[in-house]
Amino acid sequence: MSTKGKILLSINGFSPQRWYEMLSEEREVVLEPDGPADPSIEYAVVWKQKPGLLAKLPNLKAIFSIGAGVDHVFADPTLPDLPIVRVVADNLTQHMVEYVLWRVLDHHRQGQLYRAQQTKKVWHEPPQRAAEDISVGIMGLGNLGRAAAKALMTIGFRVNGWSRRPQEVVGVSTYDGDAGLVPFLNATDILVVLLPLTEATTGIINYGLLKELRRRNGLGGAVLINAGRGRLQRDADILRALDDGTLKEASLDVFEVEPLPKTSPVWSHPKVFVTPHAAATSDPAHLVGPMLRQMDAFERGERLQNLVDREAGY
Ligand code: NDP
Ligand code: OXD
């Protein structure tokens, strides 16, 4: 085809077909298991690549994650020390903003109560709360967290945000680091988790943390929404918190083990709304073009964009 660097496509967990077709429009693409030893492979486009696969490529120059999160890339203990590009894209951000608005509004407007009433044909109207009386706290004020914060504020919610380093977002009460975590939780009624999974964040959504959430408002209890990563949370702690009233309800898009095992009690818990890691799906129609443009630019000597900080792990 051309002299452009070849791509290894290693996508596990779902079909790589559309990614393959779209990437192949401009570059030669090899699918594992044919790729590994090929010295003409310069880029890897990956989701949960097979451990050891990338380390075998002598001329690999950059790794492109097809997701915003990169914990799946770091899961490979032999990962070569190369630039990792992650997804930052309007289309993905829009999907996540929609998911957050959908879930926050459903909890705020008592969707679970009305669904239960409907099954019993109950005609009952509970008191209505104003959005301005509810504080939504977003853990992770990055690309997705900031966009979700802005959308929530346009509807009238108060918004708190927590990040690793101090951040400023107009209209948002911001907190950071270990010292900021409890004050952030104490001021939050609905907790939205949009953190990356790193060593520092693994298991952070546990019973002790949920206990710190505010429960003084007309919501009738604190609410958890996790669309970050499953291993940020302890599934069993969430169930315990729901059962003893620490949490009123939860919307979970991610789980410690995915797919969520059929035997998990989470599936049938009446206070949990489950989606299958579908809050914001990576759509090749929107993401392949920018990936190919980055490869072209890189070959012209330009810097790669949306690089992962390996030290921080995201
Ligand atoms: P970013 O890297 O832009 O933002 C991450 C945010 O988390 C930053 O504000 C960062 O702080 C903060 N953070 C990281 N580590 C810590 C820590 N130890 N303590 C406090 N704050 C921390 O990521 P995105 O917003 O693009 O994406 C967030 C995550 O959403 C992804 O990593 C992925 O796991 C998940 N995701 C899930 C999807 C789904 O469908 N369920 C789809 C897409 C993404 P700081 O600002 O200081 O750097
Ligand atoms: C992502 C995801 O990280 O889809 O983009 O989970």
Side-chain angles (χ1 to χ4, degrees):
M1 193 188 280
S2 67
T3 56
K4 288 178 167 190
K6 211 189 266 185
I7 299 171
L8 169 76
L9 180 63
S10 179
I11 293 184
N12 292 291
F14 53 95
S15 167
Q17 194 56 31
R18 285 181 67 225
W19 294 89
Y20 179 82
E21 285 163 8
M22 298 185 79
L23 288 164
S24 299
E25 283 174 19
E26 291 192 26
R27 286 173 185 262
E28 199 171 335
V29 182
V30 285
L31 284 165
E32 37 175 323
D34 303 335
D38 187 341
S40 61
I41 292 172
E42 295 185 10
Y43 306 101
V45 173
V46 303
W47 179 260
K48 297 184 183 167
Q49 79 277 4
K50 280 197 194 120
L53 185 67
L54 305 187
K56 289 185 195 152
L57 300 172
N59 292 320
L60 189 65
K61 295 192 167 55
I63 300 161
F64 288 74
S65 162
I66 67 163
V70 289
D71 47 292
H72 66 100
V73 181
F74 285 119
D76 178 353
T78 63
L79 187 70
D81 187 10
L82 292 169
I84 302 169
V85 177
R86 72 185 193 94
V87 169
V88 176
D90 290 349
N91 178 260
L92 188 94
T93 303
Q94 175 65 23
H95 283 307
M96 186 57 86
V97 168
E98 287 168 8
Y99 172 85
V100 172
L101 288 181
W102 173 41
R103 297 322 312 148
V104 168
L105 282 171
D106 187 52
H107 291 292
H108 173 57
R109 294 305 305 259
Q110 313 223 40
Q112 189 210 306
L113 175 77
Y114 286 122
R115 285 187 290 274
Q117 287 191 173
Q118 187 175 346
T119 59
K120 295 184 192 142
K121 301 182 183 163
V122 172
W123 186 272
H124 163 69
E125 188 195 340
Q128 265 176 35
R129 304 163 297 249
E132 67 195 30
D133 293 335
I134 307 292
S135 291
V136 181
I138 304 183
M139 289 181 92
L141 265 189
N143 181 58
L144 301 178
R146 284 195 305 272
K150 284 177 194 152
L152 288 163
M153 286 189 294
T154 64
I155 299 176
F157 290 101
R158 292 171 193 273
V159 179
N160 305 319
W162 183 69
S163 51
R164 188 166 63 95
R165 301 160 294 188
Q167 300 291 354
E168 272 184 35
V169 183
V170 177
V172 177
S173 303
T174 54
Y175 303 78
D176 58 87
D178 291 347
L181 182 56
V182 169
F184 160 81
L185 296 166
N186 291 170
T188 290
D189 305 307
I190 298 180
L191 181 66
V192 175
V193 184
L194 287 173
L195 286 168
L197 180 68
T198 66
E199 250 177 68
T201 60
T202 300
I204 192 168
I205 309 301
N206 54 41
Y207 188 76
L209 177 140
L210 297 172
K211 269 280 179 211
E212 296 292 346
L213 289 169
R214 191 159 72 173
R215 271 171 292 277
R216 55 96 206 145
N217 60 72
L219 266 179
V223 169
L224 168 69
I225 299 171
N226 186 5
R229 279 289 183 268
R231 286 179 50 230
L232 295 168
Q233 77 196 21
R234 302 272 179 243
D235 293 4
D237 284 19
I238 295 172
L239 294 179
R240 177 181 167 203
L242 288 163
D243 289 341
D244 73 7
T246 297
L247 276 181
K248 182 185 174 229
E249 294 167 5
S251 284
L252 304 175
D253 184 56
V254 288
F255 305 89
E256 278 185 82
V257 177
E258 294 180 7
L260 183 61
K262 293 215 189 299
T263 52
S264 169
V266 173
W267 280 114
S268 51
H269 199 289
K271 296 178 180 171
V272 184
F273 186 91
V274 171
T275 44
H277 197 140
T281 301
S282 291
D283 181 351
H286 290 268
L287 304 184
V288 163
M291 260 176 208
L292 290 166
R293 298 291 78 74
Q294 282 239 61
M295 292 172 197
D296 293 345
F298 184 66
E299 286 169 5
R300 290 195 302 270
E302 294 171 29
R303 290 160 64 97
L304 291 166
Q305 307 292 313
N306 306 321
L307 283 173
V308 169
D309 173 348
R310 288 184 81 110
E311 186 89 4
Y314 65 96

